[in-house]
Amino acid sequence: MRYDAIFFDLDNTLLDHTGAETLAQADLCRTHAADLGAVTPDDFLARYRVVNTRLWRDLEAGRCTPADVRLRRFAETLAELGLDPTPAFRMSETYLSDYGHHWQPTVGALAVLSALVGRVPLGVISNGFSDTQQRKLDQLGLRPFFDPALIVLSEDVGHMKPHRPIFDLAADRVAVADRSPRLLYVGDNPTVDIDGAKSAGWDAVWFVHPPGQPRPEPPVADLVCDQLADLLTFVEG
């Protein structure tokens, strides 16, 4: 095994966030049909994703708080669609509840973790809301795979990917005598995950999920794959 520890992103790496988000938004649109009027579910989801991405970038840059993101992503989506933003709080509560009903691991995630656990310390670094990410670990049965000290959530530690401090904090928790640990990060976002890890001196695997994303040329990652199982051969060294 070429690494002293392997860390994973959660959303769209170990958990199919895009699939769960799409289903939860469809549920939300049915529940709040009266609030959406003539706006179609597809139009609502498309605008929501634009707004949500913008707000997460603001959060990463320190321009807003997690509480801002939870509420503003619905208020601003409604406003940009020309709708009354008043139902935003109720919609946020509906979405967070429905989202959890649709969580599923990505294809191959449990098999890969099962093949690695006990052979190398495993950890998580995630920017998601701490309470939500903790529930994901429990609901999907992921927690037993990870060293509790290596579960690093941005809201808990006060740093976010792609900024180096969150990777340095995780590295400091890997016990290796007399040298710096050899670390690998596996994630789906080429900027937040891959650039962040590489800038901190880690190796990085870009798991392309959902499939079909454009791939940078040349890839900055040490491995680019769309099957998590490819990770197993790579880490053997």
Side-chain angles (χ1 to χ4, degrees):
M1 189 68 63
R2 67 165 76 177
Y3 296 103
D4 297 304
I6 300 172
F7 287 79
F8 291 83
D9 172 51
L10 268 181
D11 294 329
N12 276 338
T13 300
L14 297 178
L15 176 141
D16 183 6
H17 163 73
T18 298
E21 177 189 63
T22 300
L23 293 170
Q25 290 287 2
D27 293 344
L28 180 145
C29 288
R30 286 190 291 269
T31 301
H32 293 272
D35 297 316
L36 298 181
V39 173
T40 68
D42 286 347
D43 288 343
F44 182 83
L45 178 56
R47 177 50 47 186
Y48 168 86
R49 283 180 169 160
V50 170
V51 171
N52 192 48
T53 298
R54 182 175 70 226
L55 287 170
W56 275 98
R57 287 175 180 161
D58 285 347
L59 181 61
E60 291 159 9
R63 293 189 292 266
C64 67
T65 68
D68 292 332
V69 176
R70 285 181 189 262
L71 180 61
R72 286 176 52 192
R73 58 187 177 179
F74 288 98
E76 293 182 16
T77 297
L78 291 168
E80 291 183 15
L81 290 169
L83 299 171
D84 179 6
T86 302
F89 179 79
R90 290 187 292 106
M91 294 179 80
S92 178
E93 294 297 302
T94 298
Y95 171 72
L96 289 173
S97 174
D98 291 343
Y99 175 51
H101 296 156
H102 298 294
W103 291 339
Q104 294 290 334
T106 53
V107 174
L110 296 179
V112 166
L113 293 175
S114 295
L116 292 173
V117 68
R119 301 175 60 207
V120 60
L122 302 178
V124 167
I125 303 176
S126 174
N127 279 357
F129 301 129
S130 181
D131 58 344
T132 303
Q133 304 306 74
Q134 295 284 7
R135 286 196 297 121
K136 289 173 182 174
L137 292 171
D138 290 328
Q139 186 169 315
L140 294 180
L142 298 175
R143 191 178 298 278
F145 293 109
F146 299 108
D147 181 332
L150 302 186
I151 296 174
V152 182
L153 304 179
S154 63
E155 195 172 3
D156 293 339
V157 302
H159 301 289
M160 297 188 73
K161 302 178 295 181
H163 305 298
R164 180 162 184 162
I166 195 169
F167 291 97
D168 287 346
L169 187 153
D172 288 343
R173 296 183 180 184
V174 178
V176 176
D178 301 324
R179 62 174 173 81
S180 297
R182 298 165 298 188
L183 301 173
L184 177 68
Y185 191 67
V186 183
D188 71 290
N189 188 303
T191 301
V192 173
D193 295 327
I194 306 310
D195 288 350
K198 296 295 289 182
S199 295
W202 295 32
D203 285 357
V205 170
W206 181 25
F207 173 50
V208 183
H209 183 86
Q213 294 185 57
R215 302 189 182 195
E217 293 292 345
V220 297
D222 297 278
L223 173 69
V224 179
C225 64
D226 54 16
Q227 301 290 327
L228 280 175
D230 293 343
L231 176 66
L232 297 178
T233 301
F234 176 75
V235 301
E236 290 293 345

